[in-house]
Amino acid sequence: EYGFPESHAASFALIAYCTAWMKCHYPAEFTCALLNAWPMGFYAPSTIVEDARRRGVEVRPIDVLASDWQCTLEACAKGGGCRCQFAVRMGLRFVKGLGEEDWQRIRDVRSRSDEMTVQDFALRTGIGEGALAALSQCGALGALAGNRRQALWEVSGAGRWRGAGERGALPPAADRKNQRLSEPLLKGEEIMPGFSMLNQLESIGWDYLSTGHSVQGHPLEPFREELNRQGLPDARGLAEKQDGDRVSYAGMVICRQRPMTAGGVVFMTLEDESGFVNLVVWSSIFEKYRKVILPSSMLGVSGSLQSKDGVVHLIVDPCWKPKLSRLPASTASRDFH
């Protein structure tokens, strides 16, 4: 006689259906809207981006000359050969340490971006050194500098050369509109050192440090050959194994849950470049390996596979820290109690 649970279930089913329909038929629009609604929702931006990329959505990096504050849609470069009409351009809101006031300044100056240098950009926007460093690290100044290391070098000490005297100062506000800062900022010629380009591992690491996500690849992607040599398959390979198989796997921890109604059982989700693996950790196993499970951003597990009707879970025993030649970029986990 109490209808709330029934009506609630019906409403949730309708929302779930509409969401699935939108994700299936309009994946770029769905991804863009979900990122702009964040932190509403279950998954971190990095997981949303990775899932979109696996489903064929082109996700473009943050760029001070192309990105708005929020994520936006752009024409897909693949044209008719792509299932998506649009690509997703990541928004400047994801740059750590950058505020909306900084975005307003960027928007005001980028209409005058013809041949603008990194130092021109820094002087004209007047944004802080920390935000400039983050923009450099995530590649957002790529259109103004040859590579990220060069951009970072050029913005270092911005506070000093901003006040370096007449030649390094901005002209009066009334004269700024068409002014280009093409002369050296300091007296004397500065010799620009040469910088090597970042490799994929470094690019992904810098992205996660400055924005919490990367469109260059998943943190484990550069390590796939190394993981395969250790007998650790990716999520797609794990899903192809048989029910009851004894398996080992390593992935980035993106979620931990310990519902009060589950009798101490912990549910976890690990992720790699190919997808997700859901873990069931019994209470006794969790207590035994608590010091490994709780602080780790990357976790190795062994156990028995449960596979039925396309749904795969790994019943864990034991847990361990994977050994890699280098550390992958650290990811954040959403933990619920």
Side-chain angles (χ1 to χ4, degrees):
E1 295 179 358
Y2 181 53
F4 174 77
E6 209 170 89
S7 61
H8 184 72
S11 299
F12 189 83
L14 180 61
I15 292 170
Y17 172 80
C18 291
T19 302
W21 186 90
M22 177 67 76
K23 184 177 181 181
C24 177
H25 295 288
Y26 296 91
E29 292 88 335
F30 174 83
T31 300
C32 186
L34 199 59
L35 287 167
N36 287 341
W38 191 82
M40 182 197 77
F42 194 79
Y43 295 110
S46 59
T47 296
I48 298 170
V49 168
E50 282 300 315
D51 185 67
R53 292 177 67 245
R54 285 194 291 268
R55 297 174 187 277
V57 177
E58 181 185 357
V59 184
R60 296 174 179 171
I62 299 168
D63 185 329
V64 293
L65 300 186
S67 295
D68 286 351
W69 180 248
Q70 298 278 26
C71 297
T72 53
L73 295 173
E74 299 178 349
C76 184
K78 299 176 184 177
C82 180
R83 63 187 292 252
C84 305
Q85 285 186 300
F86 299 104
V88 177
R89 173 70 69 179
M90 295 302 295
L92 284 158
R93 63 172 294 203
F94 290 107
V95 179
K96 297 176 182 177
L98 193 75
E100 288 194 64
E101 184 179 339
D102 297 321
W103 151 239
Q104 299 294 336
R105 294 176 179 177
I106 292 170
R107 185 176 61 181
D108 290 342
V109 305
R110 71 181 186 184
S111 60
R112 298 174 281 122
S113 60
D114 184 35
E115 299 183 34
M116 184 165 60
T117 67
V118 171
Q119 291 184 337
D120 291 341
F121 173 84
L123 282 168
R124 288 173 175 171
T125 59
I127 61 180
E129 252 187 271
L132 287 170
L135 289 169
S136 303
Q137 287 176 332
C138 73
L141 300 180
L144 308 179
N147 63 53
R148 302 190 200 195
R149 288 191 173 104
Q150 179 181 334
L152 194 58
W153 173 272
E154 291 190 41
V155 302
S156 62
R160 294 191 298 274
W161 49 255
R162 274 175 180 153
E166 193 174 329
R167 297 185 69 189
L170 278 172
D175 300 328
R176 289 182 194 176
K177 187 173 182 180
N178 298 311
Q179 177 77 28
R180 282 192 61 246
L181 304 176
S182 55
E183 294 187 11
L185 291 166
L186 300 176
K187 294 182 179 180
E189 294 295 330
E190 178 186 6
I191 299 175
M192 178 63 68
F195 295 100
S196 61
M197 300 291 289
L198 301 180
N199 59 34
Q200 186 188 31
L201 176 61
E202 292 168 332
S203 295
I204 294 170
W206 284 38
D207 284 344
Y208 270 82
L209 281 173
S210 52
T211 68
H213 75 277
S214 178
V215 304
Q216 311 297 325
H218 190 274
L220 290 185
E221 199 168 326
F223 298 96
R224 181 46 52 196
E225 289 187 8
E226 188 175 348
L227 290 166
N228 287 341
R229 287 196 298 269
Q230 296 181 31
L232 300 172
D234 61 18
R236 188 182 296 114
L238 201 71
E240 294 172 354
K241 296 186 179 296
Q242 300 298 311
D243 180 50
D245 282 356
R246 183 77 182 176
V247 297
S248 293
Y249 172 77
M252 308 304 295
V253 181
I254 64 169
C255 177
R256 302 179 183 89
Q257 297 183 77
R258 195 175 193 179
M260 293 182 65
T261 57
V265 178
V266 175
F267 301 96
M268 298 177 63
T269 301
L270 305 190
E271 179 192 66
D272 62 37
E273 71 277 14
S274 72
F276 307 104
V277 173
N278 294 312
L279 310 181
V280 177
V281 186
W282 301 124
S283 178
S284 58
I285 299 300
F286 176 76
E287 294 303 328
K288 183 177 181 180
Y289 296 102
R290 173 189 287 268
K291 292 183 180 179
V292 177
I293 292 173
L294 290 181
S296 299
S297 61
M298 181 182 181
L299 187 65
V301 294
S302 299
S304 299
L305 205 64
Q306 281 191 354
S307 180
K308 186 177 181 181
D309 299 328
V311 179
V312 178
H313 289 85
L314 181 57
I315 311 301
V316 174
D317 181 21
C319 302
W320 35 274
K321 291 184 178 180
K323 294 182 179 179
L324 296 174
S325 56
R326 296 182 65 179
L327 290 175
S330 180
T331 59
S333 170
R334 299 289 301 278
D335 297 336
F336 300 87
H337 301 281

